[in-house]
Amino acid sequence: MTFSIVARSADGLLHGVAVASKFLAAGALVPAAEAEVGALASQAHANLAYRSQGLALLRTGVPAADVVAGLIAADPGRDDRQLGVVGARGDGATWTGPRCHPWAGGQSGDGWAAQGNILAGPEVIDALRDAWLGGADLPFPQRLLAALAAGDRAGGDRRGRQSAALFVVQRHGGYAGTGDELVDLRVDDHRDPVGELGRLLDIHTLLFGKPDPATLLDLTGPVADEVAALLAAAGHPVGAAGLEEALDAWAGVENLEERIVPGRIDPVVLDHLRRTTAAVAGG
């Protein structure tokens, strides 16, 4: 009842899963991933044990195809299952049991596997594949989402739309470097779940994306003067502690603390400060 893609970044540092379905909260059931180990999607008549068992096998260096073979060999319900796996290196692998509801099938290649069941047709998987292969210039989470969106436009789940999810892991890529969950977004029940997932990813990128060092502006001169004026208008005037303290306080309220760089300002943060202040002034 689902279509998904599991994939690895070209440098092997990121692994992720994107999934959509006419099923409530597919993101709670389908994806699993571990940083620098691999990712998998368990779907159709999902066997949730595949997730932990598959990651355990990948952790020991078992190739994706052998992970799939091992999981289904030990499962008497394999004919109703669907599974996609990608490891730390090599080709991805996919399995579609013969009793999965049509159309059902999958494809795989170097660092990716796409699969789905109860789909509009094989063109859904073709679209996932083509968008993934053609999206090498995109950031990894956006590349996964672009592939999912292409499958959705090609017809997706033939019963309709309900949920979607995006799960990406990277060693120390999570909030403040304290975890590996770089992106963990779910749309559990929505008329356009893939579109809504895209909106959430845009917000996530704004709040938690890493500043580009090449674009940072020094907090001096006219830039500092503008930031101070904007902070005052936003209700965070510069006090005795100085401009950076006031900026930090405002950023914490706006959940932009991951984009704060001492002595400098991310243009993304400056633009958000300008828009926030304009909204306050106009409100």
Side-chain angles (χ1 to χ4, degrees), residues 196-215:
E196 177 66 3
L197 189 62
R199 187 185 73 84
L200 294 178
L201 182 58
D202 286 345
I203 297 173
H204 184 279
T205 302
L206 166 67
L207 297 178
F208 307 118
K210 299 300 185 284
D212 180 355
T215 67

Side-chain angles (χ1 to χ4, degrees), residues 15-253:
H15 288 80
V17 184
V19 57
S21 182
K22 179 64 170 69
F23 188 89
L24 180 68
L29 303 177
V30 173
E34 184 173 329
E36 299 179 15
V37 169
L40 60 89
S42 175
Q43 54 199 54
H45 191 62
N47 183 339
L48 301 187
Y50 279 3
R51 300 180 301 177
S52 59
Q53 293 170 358
L55 289 175
L57 290 169
L58 289 169
R59 210 174 289 127
T60 65
V62 176
D66 292 340
V67 170
V68 170
L71 291 175
I72 64 173
D75 182 6
R78 58 185 171 271
D79 286 354
D80 298 300
R81 315 284 194 212
Q82 196 166 49
L83 175 65
V85 178
V86 66
R89 61 190 61 84
D91 287 352
T94 187
W95 159 262
T96 297
R99 286 205 299 261
C100 289
H101 295 296
W103 188 89
Q107 300 180 33
S108 61
D110 183 17
W112 65 276
Q115 47 281 315
N117 62 95
I118 318 187
L119 301 184
E123 63 272 16
V124 176
I125 301 302
D126 290 344
L128 279 163
R129 175 202 64 209
D130 292 347
W132 171 255
L133 294 177
D137 292 338
L138 294 172
F140 184 73
Q142 282 78 5
R143 188 180 181 186
L144 281 171
L145 181 61
L148 192 72
D152 190 49
R153 290 192 300 271
D157 188 324
R158 63 183 171 85
R159 300 167 307 154
R161 299 176 172 92
Q162 187 168 9
S163 66
L166 178 64
F167 185 49
V168 177
V169 295
Q170 179 183 26
R171 185 75 66 203
H172 304 305
Y175 181 79
T178 58
D180 296 338
E181 296 79 15
L182 178 67
V183 178
D184 186 3
L185 298 173
R186 282 175 32 188
V187 179
D188 288 344
D189 186 24
H190 196 278
R191 294 180 64 181
D192 179 20
V194 176
E196 177 66 3
L197 189 62
R199 187 185 73 84
L200 294 178
L201 182 58
D202 286 345
I203 297 173
H204 184 279
T205 302
L206 166 67
L207 297 178
F208 307 118
K210 299 300 185 284
D212 180 355
T215 67
L216 294 175
L217 304 172
D218 290 334
L219 266 178
T220 57
V223 172
D225 293 342
E226 180 187 8
V227 170
L230 291 169
L231 288 170
H236 291 268
V238 176
L243 176 60
E244 289 192 47
E245 182 71 21
L247 180 59
D248 286 350
W250 171 83
V253 172

